[in-house]
Amino acid sequence: MTSQVSSPAEQADGTDETVMGAQRKPVGAKDVRRLDRVIIRFAGDSGDGMQLTGDRFTSETASFGNDLSTLPNFPAEIRAPAGTLPGVSSFQLHFADHDILTPGDAPNVLVAMNPAALKANIDDLPRGAEIIVNTDEFTKRAMQKVGYDTSPLEDGSLDGYHLHPVPLTTLTVEALKEFDLTRKEAERSKNMFALGLLSWMYHRPTEGTEKFLRAKFAKKPDIAAANIAAYRAGWNFGETTEDFAFSYEVAPAVTAFPPGVYRNISGNLALAYGLITASHQADLPLFLGSYPITPASDILHELSRHKNFGVRTFQAEDEIAGIGAALGAAFGGSLAVTTTSGPGVALKSETIGLAVSLELPLLVVDIQRGGPSTGLPTKTEQADLLQAMYGRNGEAPVPVVAPRTPADCFDAALEAARIALTYRTPVFLLSDGYLANGSEPWRIPEPGELPDLAVQFTQAPNHTLDDGTEVFWPYKRDPHTLARPWAVPGTPGLEHRIGGIEKQDGTGNISYDPANHDFMVRTRQAKIDGIDVPDVVVDDPDGARTLVLGWGSTYGPITAAVRRLRSAGEAIAQAHLRHLNPFPHNLGAVLNGYDKVVIPEMNLGQLASLVRAEYLVDATSYNQVNGMPFKAEQLATVLKEAIDG
């Protein structure tokens, strides 16, 4: 199910000959400078292959043993006009010889494939950063298209940076002249030339990328050979040109990882693997009913590859059909999942309410994106929390679980499955675009570390009437969890009524009785309130008076900001929520233990509103809804003001 690489510890002590051999490729007489971390951003048109370039650099960096965090940034349009600002696609990678938490605030290196890429990203670069530009694309027309009256490569506006003008297109075409390719076909490999150059600059392994290219273009060996030639040409250019006086070395992050087998993983891939693992641990077939939607579609794509693990995927005609099929699969005894994003959640709301009424396990995976409506399909946001909490008619409580990092999506999927199966309820799993597309190293767990999610289906009548008759009551509850029995259709003698109309307690018959409805509403709420979730853990080594509380993908930026403040001598406490409904039982006591509580969110204060309402705590909300994750320095400034205020 996973491809494995050696652990960072193994790579560091030289037992991985391939990796270490690649690290020691000759770099001529040029000096090698050692760095503890680097932030690189590749940027170009959406057709320039920037995501592939970033993915390959990331994979080689992971195999080398660095800690890393990535931020892919896609255009919202499927194919924006070439050379325009809306069409710029970028991929940012932060890698280091120590534990890191975010893709980085500002790139040290920008690779700009055209004027639009330069203009869209230049404001993010600190002075002194290195800029590698493809000079072939800086034509008068291309520059005018994005508002450059004069060439930024010649007018002095880039004097504060280390500028490396490289004719990437020309060099790529020249390197591929021996191949039977048109100029346009050859130009498509310029991203591989750029990747080779950056791989030389930072001593990245090369074997993995060459193997990848051979596999990707196995049916077109000439194209594979051309891309490999362009990749090697980029490496050789870096080694021989006088424009690059130094190469750089970032050592493996030996101390950042516990011993184990690691691989690089994105949030959506980790979530898909978590779902497969949950079905295995529960000994249930996995069923996904889904309609493609950005940024959740990768989960459907990945799960569709794993029929050998008992996974069934159904790409429905719309969102409503997708969740309807999933709920039917839950009734039939599967671990049922539906994946979507915010607009899809709105369409699924009636069926989620039906799942609440039927009290069946169903995982609703919401990969949040910018809204409302279609909004910003390729940008990130945390604005579906209140929709997950309350976006149904009537009193329809649903547990909510949120992962905090890409790798944590694996564990969050297991936890959501545990709750759904144990308590017979739909469960929301709230990820977002930042986690879904971002990646980091993930330690592959040992089988003995995985939870036991085994389920016992009801096989016989469970109630005796006054006359001694044994019958099946579909709403006779477990006294501890308040979960109702799960009876698979076709089990003799366990036939029972389903549907959305209110059920009579115990028998499950249709009931319009006011007292029964009141009882059932309160019982369903009590079931959710009684879910066993771990206490929230507070990180407070210095007895701080200010607490920063977060949830979901804000974990990385918040933790990085807290580290900065503590290294400057400030006392600040941190807590992060995985369970948003119900809240951990100790959360109220934790909040009341601090003078100030700050809640950063990528929305307009949804968790802050819930906390204020539930605990009467005057929490300070800090919000951002620009489609991008917080920056650590930004949060550090806000938290310092809270401490001093």
Side-chain angles (χ1 to χ4, degrees), residues 562-577:
V562 166
R563 288 181 180 178
R564 293 189 185 196
L565 291 172
R566 289 177 181 169
S567 66
E570 301 290 345
I572 187 166
Q574 178 187 2
H576 207 80
L577 295 175

Side-chain angles (χ1 to χ4, degrees), residues 154 188 196 271 301 388 390 404 427 476 495-496 581 630:
E154 301 171 355
R188 290 174 182 163
L271 205 156
H301 299 160
Y390 303 121
R404 63 185 187 178
V427 177
K476 185 170 185 176
E495 297 84 357
H496 57 283
N581 191 33
F630 286 112

